[in-house]
Amino acid sequence: MNANEKLFINALMSRKFIEESKAKELFRDLLTNRENDIENAFPSQKEFDQFWGHVKDKLRTKMGLDIRKVRFVRGDEKIYLGICNVNSNLTNESYVNGLPTTRSPREIALFRVVLDEILRTEDTCRNGIDLERFLGQSQDAFMTQAQELSKNNNNEEKKGEGVGTMTQATTQQQVEAMGKMTYAEREIIVANFVNDGWLHRLESKHTHVRIGVRSFLELKEFILDQCPEAISEEWKNAL
């Protein structure tokens, strides 16, 4: 990789994801070697796509990473780029259970339950869920959803789709840990996932959350597989 490619990768990795327009600005500044170089026009879409396409190919080959581009559907509708993990040995289900974050097992479990609730219906996919109502459920209600999640993971393993016993054991730990959370703990954890871009809080309805840009980037296949068919068809081209 040349110096510009390495700098572009470092910028993407440090930001997790970036608007395409900002990525074009970065590419222009790398070409001219001038920061915030407003005197020069953006490179063409073709030039930019060729550049990041070459970087994408090298990342996959050398580091097992990928660069993806998605439209933030039901959000600001802008185009974003982000670097994602690539591992062909993981199924969608096991990949979500082992999110590429430093989150604890119980935090990942809570994210999974929130994500499953968002993906449950066409309305929740489009308009999100009322987080205050959802997080305010009793521990019994949360445990019921978590146990359902654990059961689904076990069913996936029985289908021979590659979900290993380590993932299954971790999931059971997640279920038990999540059941002990207080409302305040749930609220703080979800807020952290919002800050990291996995979830998106609606400006018009501050109590509601939807799927965030980072989830669309890193969990694209899982989202399209788990959401209602009509939503999957609607989102396919955007993602």
Side-chain angles (χ1 to χ4, degrees):
M1 292 187 186
N2 61 40
N4 281 350
E5 290 170 341
K6 290 178 180 178
L7 288 169
F8 187 79
I9 290 170
N10 287 339
L12 282 185
M13 294 187 76
S14 66
R15 303 178 195 185
K16 308 302 182 186
F17 54 88
I18 184 174
E19 287 180 35
E20 184 182 46
S21 60
K22 298 295 184 184
K24 285 181 179 178
E25 285 184 23
L26 174 62
F27 178 44
R28 177 201 60 197
D29 293 351
L30 290 172
L31 290 176
T32 62
N33 197 30
R34 294 174 61 185
E35 188 175 358
N36 298 321
D37 186 10
I38 59 175
E39 295 179 4
N40 287 287
F42 281 172
S44 68
Q45 188 67 45
K46 182 178 180 180
E47 288 176 308
F48 177 67
D49 286 344
Q50 286 178 338
F51 171 74
W52 77 265
H54 288 315
V55 175
K56 170 189 175 83
D57 292 341
K58 291 178 181 179
L59 270 179
R60 288 185 69 94
T61 302
K62 297 179 180 296
M63 302 175 65
L65 298 173
D66 191 18
I67 299 179
R68 285 184 173 176
K69 182 166 75 168
V70 298
R71 183 182 300 278
F72 187 18
V73 293
R74 307 302 297 181
D76 58 18
E77 296 296 333
K78 293 179 180 178
I79 303 293
Y80 288 85
L81 277 77
I83 291 183
C84 311
N85 289 301
V86 177
N87 190 336
S88 59
N89 295 322
L90 291 178
T91 65
N92 291 337
E93 185 75 23
S94 62
Y95 181 70
V96 176
N97 285 338
L99 279 172
T101 73
T102 56
R103 302 297 179 196
S104 68
R106 69 174 192 163
E107 290 174 319
I108 293 174
L110 179 57
F111 172 80
R112 269 304 312 272
V113 172
V114 172
L115 182 61
D116 285 349
E117 185 68 13
I118 294 173
L119 295 174
R120 188 179 297 275
T121 69
E122 292 182 26
D123 179 67
T124 53
C125 284
R126 293 191 176 102
N127 301 309
I129 61 170
D130 185 333
L131 197 60
E132 287 187 357
R133 179 198 62 78
F134 186 68
L135 295 183
Q137 293 183 101
S138 67
Q139 287 191 347
D140 288 343
F142 256 92
M143 286 298 289
T144 297
Q145 292 201 38
Q147 292 291 353
E148 182 180 340
L149 169 61
S150 180
K151 180 181 177 181
N152 290 339
N153 288 342
N154 291 337
N155 289 338
E156 290 298 318
E157 182 180 4
K158 290 174 183 177
K159 290 178 186 176
E161 295 185 1
V163 181
T165 54
M166 182 64 71
T167 302
Q168 180 182 339
T170 302
T171 302
Q172 184 56 40
Q173 292 169 11
Q174 291 171 337
V175 171
E176 294 172 357
M178 195 185 68
K180 300 176 183 177
M181 290 183 193
T182 65
Y183 175 83
E185 287 175 318
R186 295 171 187 167
E187 196 173 37
I188 291 170
I189 290 168
V190 171
N192 288 334
F193 277 107
V194 170
N195 291 337
D196 286 347
W198 294 102
L199 298 171
H200 174 70
R201 195 180 295 275
L202 279 65
E203 292 183 6
S204 57
K205 294 181 179 179
H206 196 64
T207 60
H208 283 59
V209 293
R210 282 200 300 249
I211 299 170
V213 172
R214 194 170 178 189
S215 289
F216 279 128
L217 284 165
E218 300 219 28
L219 306 178
K220 169 185 173 180
E221 292 82 4
F222 177 83
I223 289 170
L224 292 178
D225 182 62
Q226 296 296 314
C227 67
E229 186 175 353
I231 295 293
S232 182
E233 291 300 318
E234 181 181 317
W235 287 356
K236 241 173 218 177
N237 292 332
L239 301 181

